[in-house]
Amino acid sequence: MESRHEVEPALVPTAVIKHRPPPEPAVRAERIALVDLLDRVLAGGVVVSGEVVLSIADVDMVRISLRALVTSVSTLARAGADPEASGQ
Amino acid sequence: METLSRAGRAGKSRGRAGRAGKSRGRAGRAVEPNGVWVYAIAERVAMTPLGKLRGVGGGPVRTVAAAGLTAVVEDVGLAEFGADALRRNLEDLDWLEATARAHHRVIDAVARQGPLVPMRLATVYSGDESTGAMLAERSADFRAALARISGRKEWGVKAYAGRQSEPGTAGSTTGPAGPGGGAGAAYLQRRRDQLASQKNARRETLASAEIIHAELSRHATATRVHPPQAQQLTGSKAPMILNAAYLLDDERGEDFATVVAALREQHPGIRLELTGPWPPYSFAGMAEREELSGITA
């Protein structure tokens, strides 16, 4: 199988691979590149009222500043290089 | 392939207000869970297949139902998942990675059952009542999102400019001197030519990115363009010229890989990476940033 394809075979729609049982979800999740995951879980997904709201006393929700999320992405600069991604 | 090193979830977090495996504090007492972490919203969720799942806090997942919708949630302690703790923990790469992967693992498992709208990371409520109230308040939005993504999956394509976007390396900037101080002039001329062809190459590369995105979009019911990933994060020397998500009908998933393969042939100077299928994170409801492309039959 073409190795640069990057599509994890287990995640091909089941209609295509009826004969192959899907691997353990926990294993599959580990193979996803963190940057791709963060694009989605930090910048995607439903946002409630623009912020998640933290409750103190009688306020009902837990709030975090979205700025904190953006800041934490920038700290990934210290994460270092992914050799798979460099070069062709 | 994931090569970022990752401390085990129980390992690095032990020194801070972090999960210690089974919702127990450092002293070994059961942590009083007083937060509800929300993973995703669906119409109905069957819990039996999810029984073995462990979430961001190491605990089991359960559901909260309201307004005909179901939220998939986990009880978490505010010591780790409250506002102040989250601010600290989100700065910790290991914590962030472990949490993001656990968040995704739950969402991915539930998505297998049917249409599902993922929540952004770190959506925490104080209890079931406020979670249910949120469901009721936003039920129209959730239903619209569920309709939008039903029977569809997200695929991601990233494109990187190839090495030939930096031409002129073959030509040296030193060369035979022309008459009358020509070496300097020759250098300058060669440098101008080099810059001009680099500029042209960049323009062509960006034009290719647009062509690629347009072709991929033809197969999608919706697209979302993400900012290019920072080079420090990808480790790639080649600049990223496209980072986009495509929402495809389930039966079009296999075709999409073929489309990408064809684009690789047509654009040999560009590296294309395909990921997916994903739960529909990029289409969960940020309507203002979504492009809806026309679908061809």
Side-chain angles (χ1 to χ4, degrees):
Chain A
M1 155 160 200
E2 213 228 307
S3 61
R4 284 279 98 200
H5 202 179
E6 301 285 312
V7 176
E8 296 161 350
L11 293 179
V12 171
T14 52
V16 175
I17 49 158
K18 282 195 183 85
H19 59 282
R20 191 200 312 200
E24 271 295 310
V27 171
R28 193 181 340 179
E30 291 308 307
R31 287 194 252 139
I32 292 171
L34 181 60
V35 285
D36 293 340
L37 187 57
L38 292 179
D39 272 349
R40 290 170 168 82
V41 302
L42 290 182
V46 173
V47 177
V48 181
S49 306
E51 285 186 317
V52 178
V53 179
L54 170 60
S55 163
I56 301 172
D58 56 345
V59 179
D60 277 337
M61 294 184 287
V62 175
R63 173 183 297 175
I64 338 162
S65 166
L66 289 178
R67 255 188 302 277
L69 295 179
V70 171
T71 304
S72 63
V73 173
S74 71
T75 67
L76 292 174
R78 62 182 164 88
D82 175 358
E84 288 288 304
S86 51
Q88 221 156 333
Chain B
M1 230 28 129
E2 185 49 59
T3 59
L4 289 171
S5 72
R6 173 174 92 71
R9 280 172 56 208
K12 183 124 186 196
S13 325
R14 219 166 254 141
R16 35 172 82 233
R19 79 189 77 77
K22 308 241 188 278
S23 302
R24 292 191 171 275
R26 269 167 285 168
R29 294 186 306 271
V31 168
E32 189 71 27
N34 41 13
V36 173
W37 177 287
V38 185
Y39 288 93
I41 311 299
E43 265 202 315
R44 268 181 311 279
V45 175
M47 275 307 303
T48 317
L50 309 179
K52 293 214 174 94
L53 266 185
R54 292 296 172 263
V56 297
V61 300
R62 59 180 182 85
T63 59
V64 171
L69 295 170
T70 304
V72 179
V73 307
E74 179 191 357
D75 297 301
V76 292
L78 289 181
E80 184 178 0
F81 295 97
D84 293 337
L86 274 171
R87 277 192 202 98
R88 274 198 312 277
N89 286 331
L90 287 166
E91 300 287 327
D92 176 340
L93 176 62
D94 292 316
W95 188 96
L96 176 62
E97 177 169 2
T99 304
R101 290 191 185 283
H103 184 70
H104 173 70
R105 200 154 38 230
V106 172
I107 287 170
D108 196 45
V110 182
R112 250 160 271 170
Q113 293 185 20
L116 171 109
V117 178
M119 300 298 279
R120 180 165 293 191
L121 188 83
T123 303
V124 182
Y125 283 85
S126 62
D128 286 15
E129 275 150 63
S130 48
T131 305
M134 181 272 290
L135 281 180
E137 189 186 308
R138 298 286 300 262
S139 65
D141 289 341
F142 287 124
R143 286 189 187 289
L146 283 166
R148 191 185 320 138
I149 57 89
S150 182
R152 296 171 175 146
K153 292 186 176 61
E154 172 173 333
W155 296 78
V157 174
K158 293 172 298 186
Y160 299 81
R163 272 186 279 274
Q164 52 262 47
S165 70
E166 295 292 320
T169 50
S172 150
T173 51
T174 62
Y187 169 83
L188 286 173
Q189 184 59 49
R190 240 181 298 274
R191 188 71 188 123
R192 265 196 293 273
D193 291 344
Q194 208 176 37
L195 289 169
S197 60
Q198 280 170 10
K199 205 164 152 189
N200 284 335
R202 264 194 293 276
R203 206 174 11 232
E204 281 171 25
T205 297
L206 291 175
S208 295
E210 284 179 23
I211 290 168
I212 288 167
H213 178 57
E215 170 58 17
L216 293 169
S217 299
R218 283 205 309 116
H219 302 264
T221 61
T223 71
R224 180 161 169 208
V225 176
H226 293 290
Q229 295 169 346
Q231 280 179 281
Q232 310 94 288
L233 303 186
T234 65
S236 170
K237 294 188 171 69
M240 187 178 295
I241 56 173
L242 179 68
N243 181 20
Y246 302 88
L247 188 66
L248 304 178
D249 292 334
D250 288 347
E251 61 270 16
R252 287 186 173 237
E254 194 193 356
D255 285 346
F256 202 60
T258 308
V259 172
V260 172
L263 285 167
R264 282 200 188 96
E265 301 278 313
Q266 292 157 25
H267 300 267
I270 289 175
R271 175 160 60 98
L272 291 177
E273 291 179 2
L274 172 67
T275 62
W278 297 88
Y281 290 106
S282 304
F283 303 98
M286 304 290 282
E288 68 274 19
R289 292 180 57 187
E290 211 170 52
E291 294 165 38
L292 292 169
S293 58
I295 185 66
T296 59

